[in-house]
Amino acid sequence: MKYVLIPILFLLMTQRPPISAQERADVDSLIMVLKQLPDSCKLKSLYDLTYQNLRNNTCIIYSNLLLEEADRQHNTYYKGSAYFLSAMYYYAKNADSMRIFMHEAEPLLLSENRIEEICRMRGWNIYTYTRDGQKEKVIPAVDDLKAFAKKYNFPDGEDMANQALADYYLGEGLSDEGVELYEEVLHSMERRNIPLIKQINIIRQLLRNNIDIQRQIYYLDKINGYIEDYKKKGIEYLDSEQPLFLLEYFYHQSYAYIAIRLKDSTLAHTHLSKAEAIMKEKNLVNEERIIEQLKLLYYELIGKYDLAIDMVDRLAAHYENMKMIDTVLELLYTKADLYYKSNRGMEAAALFRTLYERKDSVRKAVFYENLAKLKAQHDVDELELKTKQMELEASTFHSQRLLMGSGLIFMVLICCLLIYIAYSRHRHGLQLKAAKEKAEEADRLKSAFLANMNHEIRTPLNAIVGFSQIIADEEDANVRHELSSIIQSNNDLLQRLVEDVLDISKIESDAITFVFAEQDMRALVKDIYNIILLRMPEGVELRLGDCPPLVFYTDRNRLIQILANLLTNAIKHTEKGYIYFGYEVKEGEVIFSVEDTGEGIPEDQLANIFSRFVKLTEWTKGVGLGLSITKALVEKMHGHIEVMSEVGIGSTFKVIFPLEKY
């Protein structure tokens, strides 16, 4: 049976709603603080004020105001603090911007011996390497941070480095190594009597990973000891921001889940009731789904399948609204299993059929894209086979009940069952035939692809080999230089071909990864403009549109690749006039445009322009994969691409993305 995965969550900081008037009031308060601060002030109150507003733009306003005050007073302490706060703000938004402020802040902080803040920034930098997939930079950065912390005798810095390394291990699937490293950090903190809130944060990281149940119970008992100790002392907050009741809620919620795994219904009920009571008393609305998931598992454990099914329906409705289709399908699978356990075989079979149809509709488009998706088709066939088995078992069970009432009805049911089995086999045969035809078509496409690749690779390779032989015997320096340029040009062409084929392979095998984050679009298109400007031919002007301010949630590198491919394509086909690009925002969408005054695309070729190895003429530069890759990337990022062109006038490509997050 498939279970809905229940994550062990603990929100130490509650979500803040958008603020407008409150932000202004906070900024006014900051200005008053700045006017009264002496030069020797350590700015702890300012850091606290800024950290509380990290999720909205007030944070960057604080750092800018502080930087202005630092310039006015010529105060390096304030300036280092301002750069540190800016790095803190950009840590979750733009890693490149964060590193710029780190570079500015480090010498100022080091001059004031502010080692902790430097270590924090370096730790953030390691996390961004892991988050952005820059694996080769993680280990050197960890070693640098450890060496820096040892040099300045700051053990907390070594703990920060080990935490970042543990996070990297877990991201790479090295669970045992990651958990072991987190435990080393925890023991180090305990030996040095580090503030309890930092130790609890490490315990939370351990509980979020797949450690065995006994170790989970051990760490939860430690948390319970902390809770009881704080209650005896009358302490209601772990620190200035985090109330004790959140830790208590986390303890009971986690213990309830463990008790369910241990099949201890009494213990599960005790902790589940306490967690639900805290949730309702403290109005923890974000935790309602977690409690409902725990109730689902608890009702299933004690055999109250009707109540469990009711929980499934409530959760499915919630995740359906959130468009979390995979989770909804898992819940439907759980519901069908609950039907079967409660002797409602026909309803289980019907639901399995519905589940199959929904899964098939979600994955249907992917099945037909390439040969790699045949495995997914195999999974669907297995699901269908299981559905048939459930239907057969349900029909058999129903027939046995009816046998006691009437022999005639029994015979009719047997006949119907035989007809149904014959029909099912016939339909299964048709499906196997269709699968065979798909495989044959995929094999044909593979052969055609290899033939195209053979031709495209041989073209530059022949030029490289031929001119390499000629250049050795050529005495004229100018001719040798020209031959060298031809060889280099074909080298570049061959390299682009290999890179494009690798991108196509990753896209079709669904192995390509995306790293989504909020990006400043005006800065991004300005960077692209500066890069493409260097490649513009004489007689062609590159124009950048008047782009409105926009923070867009996207994959920076893939968006740059898309726009660069379109601009490169425009350069190939434009000998005079201009190339324009930019973006605009309309009706919940951002529209990127690339317009040129080049040769244009004939109407009869517009339908095939995004196919592989398509070029307007045999003399067109490139291998004809750029637009195919661009279209595939756009669709993977939930957008679509349009093209309009007129021969002799030019072409316009538009890439359209929804502004909502996926």
Side-chain angles (χ1 to χ4, degrees), residues 25-46:
D26 288 342
V27 172
D28 292 340
S29 300
L30 174 70
I31 294 173
M32 295 301 296
V33 170
L34 288 175
K35 289 181 178 179
Q36 300 172 8
L37 284 175
D39 290 347
S40 60
C41 176
K42 299 305 179 184
L43 294 179
K44 182 180 184 306
S45 60
L46 180 62

mmCIF file of all heavy atoms in Angstrom, residues 25-46:
data_model
loop_
_atom_site.group_PDB
_atom_site.id
_atom_site.type_symbol
_atom_site.label_atom_id
_atom_site.label_comp_id
_atom_site.label_asym_id
_atom_site.label_seq_id
_atom_site.Cartn_x
_atom_site.Cartn_y
_atom_site.Cartn_z
ATOM 1 N N ALA A 25 6.041 52.531 9.670
ATOM 2 C CA ALA A 25 6.251 52.820 11.089
ATOM 3 C C ALA A 25 7.591 52.261 11.558
ATOM 4 O O ALA A 25 8.315 52.902 12.324
ATOM 5 C CB ALA A 25 5.100 52.228 11.914
ATOM 6 N N ASP A 26 7.933 51.051 11.077
ATOM 7 C CA ASP A 26 9.216 50.457 11.460
ATOM 8 C C ASP A 26 10.384 51.286 10.939
ATOM 9 O O ASP A 26 11.395 51.454 11.613
ATOM 10 C CB ASP A 26 9.311 49.030 10.915
ATOM 11 C CG ASP A 26 8.399 48.060 11.669
ATOM 12 O OD1 ASP A 26 7.981 48.414 12.776
ATOM 13 O OD2 ASP A 26 8.120 46.981 11.125
ATOM 14 N N VAL A 27 10.273 51.771 9.709
ATOM 15 C CA VAL A 27 11.334 52.607 9.147
ATOM 16 C C VAL A 27 11.499 53.888 9.956
ATOM 17 O O VAL A 27 12.620 54.334 10.242
ATOM 18 C CB VAL A 27 11.034 52.931 7.665
ATOM 19 C CG1 VAL A 27 12.035 53.952 7.133
ATOM 20 C CG2 VAL A 27 11.106 51.664 6.832
ATOM 21 N N ASP A 28 10.370 54.509 10.349
ATOM 22 C CA ASP A 28 10.440 55.710 11.181
ATOM 23 C C ASP A 28 11.142 55.400 12.507
ATOM 24 O O ASP A 28 11.943 56.209 13.007
ATOM 25 C CB ASP A 28 9.030 56.252 11.447
ATOM 26 C CG ASP A 28 8.384 56.802 10.175
ATOM 27 O OD1 ASP A 28 9.135 57.115 9.225
ATOM 28 O OD2 ASP A 28 7.152 56.909 10.141
ATOM 29 N N SER A 29 10.816 54.218 13.081
ATOM 30 C CA SER A 29 11.476 53.829 14.334
ATOM 31 C C SER A 29 12.972 53.673 14.129
ATOM 32 O O SER A 29 13.778 54.053 14.976
ATOM 33 C CB SER A 29 10.874 52.511 14.852
ATOM 34 O OG SER A 29 9.502 52.654 15.101
ATOM 35 N N LEU A 30 13.351 53.097 12.989
ATOM 36 C CA LEU A 30 14.774 52.912 12.702
ATOM 37 C C LEU A 30 15.505 54.249 12.607
ATOM 38 O O LEU A 30 16.613 54.415 13.119
ATOM 39 C CB LEU A 30 14.941 52.127 11.403
ATOM 40 C CG LEU A 30 16.390 51.985 10.925
ATOM 41 C CD1 LEU A 30 17.156 51.064 11.847
ATOM 42 C CD2 LEU A 30 16.454 51.508 9.504
ATOM 43 N N ILE A 31 14.890 55.206 11.944
ATOM 44 C CA ILE A 31 15.519 56.521 11.805
ATOM 45 C C ILE A 31 15.782 57.140 13.184
ATOM 46 O O ILE A 31 16.843 57.717 13.434
ATOM 47 C CB ILE A 31 14.629 57.447 10.956
ATOM 48 C CG1 ILE A 31 14.556 56.900 9.515
ATOM 49 C CG2 ILE A 31 15.162 58.868 10.952
ATOM 50 C CD1 ILE A 31 13.577 57.645 8.643
ATOM 51 N N MET A 32 14.804 56.978 14.086
ATOM 52 C CA MET A 32 14.985 57.509 15.444
ATOM 53 C C MET A 32 16.139 56.785 16.141
ATOM 54 O O MET A 32 16.939 57.405 16.848
ATOM 55 C CB MET A 32 13.688 57.329 16.243
ATOM 56 C CG MET A 32 12.515 58.154 15.708
ATOM 57 S SD MET A 32 12.868 59.940 15.704
ATOM 58 C CE MET A 32 13.058 60.221 17.464
ATOM 59 N N VAL A 33 16.225 55.451 15.938
ATOM 60 C CA VAL A 33 17.322 54.697 16.552
ATOM 61 C C VAL A 33 18.669 55.175 16.021
ATOM 62 O O VAL A 33 19.625 55.388 16.772
ATOM 63 C CB VAL A 33 17.133 53.180 16.286
ATOM 64 C CG1 VAL A 33 18.373 52.407 16.700
ATOM 65 C CG2 VAL A 33 15.922 52.660 17.037
ATOM 66 N N LEU A 34 18.763 55.379 14.701
ATOM 67 C CA LEU A 34 20.022 55.793 14.088
ATOM 68 C C LEU A 34 20.491 57.146 14.621
ATOM 69 O O LEU A 34 21.683 57.381 14.806
ATOM 70 C CB LEU A 34 19.874 55.846 12.575
ATOM 71 C CG LEU A 34 19.772 54.491 11.857
ATOM 72 C CD1 LEU A 34 19.503 54.705 10.385
ATOM 73 C CD2 LEU A 34 21.036 53.690 12.050
ATOM 74 N N LYS A 35 19.538 58.045 14.852
ATOM 75 C CA LYS A 35 19.916 59.373 15.333
ATOM 76 C C LYS A 35 20.505 59.321 16.741
ATOM 77 O O LYS A 35 21.290 60.185 17.130
ATOM 78 C CB LYS A 35 18.685 60.287 15.317
ATOM 79 C CG LYS A 35 18.223 60.672 13.904
ATOM 80 C CD LYS A 35 17.022 61.585 13.949
ATOM 81 C CE LYS A 35 16.591 62.005 12.537
ATOM 82 N NZ LYS A 35 15.392 62.876 12.571
ATOM 83 N N GLN A 36 20.106 58.316 17.517
ATOM 84 C CA GLN A 36 20.539 58.247 18.916
ATOM 85 C C GLN A 36 21.715 57.295 19.136
ATOM 86 O O GLN A 36 22.235 57.203 20.230
ATOM 87 C CB GLN A 36 19.358 57.799 19.790
ATOM 88 C CG GLN A 36 18.163 58.756 19.730
ATOM 89 C CD GLN A 36 16.946 58.200 20.430
ATOM 90 O OE1 GLN A 36 17.022 57.174 21.082
ATOM 91 N NE2 GLN A 36 15.827 58.913 20.325
ATOM 92 N N LEU A 37 22.138 56.549 18.090
ATOM 93 C CA LEU A 37 23.176 55.534 18.282
ATOM 94 C C LEU A 37 24.548 56.174 18.489
ATOM 95 O O LEU A 37 24.975 56.980 17.675
ATOM 96 C CB LEU A 37 23.246 54.604 17.080
ATOM 97 C CG LEU A 37 22.145 53.544 16.973
ATOM 98 C CD1 LEU A 37 22.291 52.780 15.669
ATOM 99 C CD2 LEU A 37 22.195 52.594 18.150
ATOM 100 N N PRO A 38 25.279 55.797 19.527
ATOM 101 C CA PRO A 38 26.676 56.239 19.680
ATOM 102 C C PRO A 38 27.585 55.393 18.792
ATOM 103 O O PRO A 38 27.203 54.319 18.327
ATOM 104 C CB PRO A 38 26.961 55.974 21.168
ATOM 105 C CG PRO A 38 26.048 54.834 21.510
ATOM 106 C CD PRO A 38 24.800 55.032 20.691
ATOM 107 N N ASP A 39 28.790 55.855 18.549
ATOM 108 C CA ASP A 39 29.725 55.138 17.676
ATOM 109 C C ASP A 39 30.079 53.766 18.228
ATOM 110 O O ASP A 39 30.402 52.846 17.474
ATOM 111 C CB ASP A 39 31.012 55.963 17.491
ATOM 112 C CG ASP A 39 30.748 57.194 16.638
ATOM 113 O OD1 ASP A 39 29.676 57.260 16.022
ATOM 114 O OD2 ASP A 39 31.622 58.079 16.606
ATOM 115 N N SER A 40 30.039 53.598 19.537
ATOM 116 C CA SER A 40 30.447 52.334 20.139
ATOM 117 C C SER A 40 29.325 51.305 20.182
ATOM 118 O O SER A 40 29.527 50.185 20.634
ATOM 119 C CB SER A 40 30.947 52.589 21.574
ATOM 120 O OG SER A 40 29.883 53.172 22.344
ATOM 121 N N CYS A 41 28.147 51.670 19.692
ATOM 122 C CA CYS A 41 26.987 50.769 19.768
ATOM 123 C C CYS A 41 27.236 49.514 18.938
ATOM 124 O O CYS A 41 27.737 49.588 17.826
ATOM 125 C CB CYS A 41 25.724 51.471 19.288
ATOM 126 S SG CYS A 41 24.287 50.399 19.232
ATOM 127 N N LYS A 42 26.864 48.366 19.439
ATOM 128 C CA LYS A 42 27.063 47.103 18.737
ATOM 129 C C LYS A 42 25.894 46.727 17.842
ATOM 130 O O LYS A 42 25.881 45.665 17.235
ATOM 131 C CB LYS A 42 27.326 45.967 19.739
ATOM 132 C CG LYS A 42 28.580 46.182 20.572
ATOM 133 C CD LYS A 42 29.803 46.407 19.711
ATOM 134 C CE LYS A 42 31.052 46.645 20.541
ATOM 135 N NZ LYS A 42 32.204 46.956 19.704
ATOM 136 N N LEU A 43 24.844 47.556 17.798
ATOM 137 C CA LEU A 43 23.740 47.411 16.843
ATOM 138 C C LEU A 43 22.937 46.127 17.020
ATOM 139 O O LEU A 43 22.287 45.665 16.103
ATOM 140 C CB LEU A 43 24.264 47.464 15.404
ATOM 141 C CG LEU A 43 24.861 48.798 14.962
ATOM 142 C CD1 LEU A 43 25.358 48.695 13.537
ATOM 143 C CD2 LEU A 43 23.854 49.910 15.070
ATOM 144 N N LYS A 44 22.963 45.533 18.218
ATOM 145 C CA LYS A 44 22.178 44.311 18.403
ATOM 146 C C LYS A 44 20.694 44.583 18.200
ATOM 147 O O LYS A 44 19.979 43.809 17.565
ATOM 148 C CB LYS A 44 22.415 43.724 19.791
ATOM 149 C CG LYS A 44 21.654 42.415 20.016
ATOM 150 C CD LYS A 44 21.917 41.857 21.390
ATOM 151 C CE LYS A 44 21.238 40.495 21.556
ATOM 152 N NZ LYS A 44 19.820 40.509 21.263
ATOM 153 N N SER A 45 20.206 45.690 18.757
ATOM 154 C CA SER A 45 18.788 46.002 18.594
ATOM 155 C C SER A 45 18.433 46.225 17.126
ATOM 156 O O SER A 45 17.360 45.851 16.662
ATOM 157 C CB SER A 45 18.429 47.247 19.404
ATOM 158 O OG SER A 45 19.190 48.357 18.958
ATOM 159 N N LEU A 46 19.365 46.811 16.371
ATOM 160 C CA LEU A 46 19.118 47.036 14.941
ATOM 161 C C LEU A 46 19.059 45.705 14.198
ATOM 162 O O LEU A 46 18.204 45.497 13.339
ATOM 163 C CB LEU A 46 20.221 47.911 14.367
ATOM 164 C CG LEU A 46 20.091 48.242 12.873
ATOM 165 C CD1 LEU A 46 18.822 49.014 12.605
ATOM 166 C CD2 LEU A 46 21.298 49.030 12.400
#
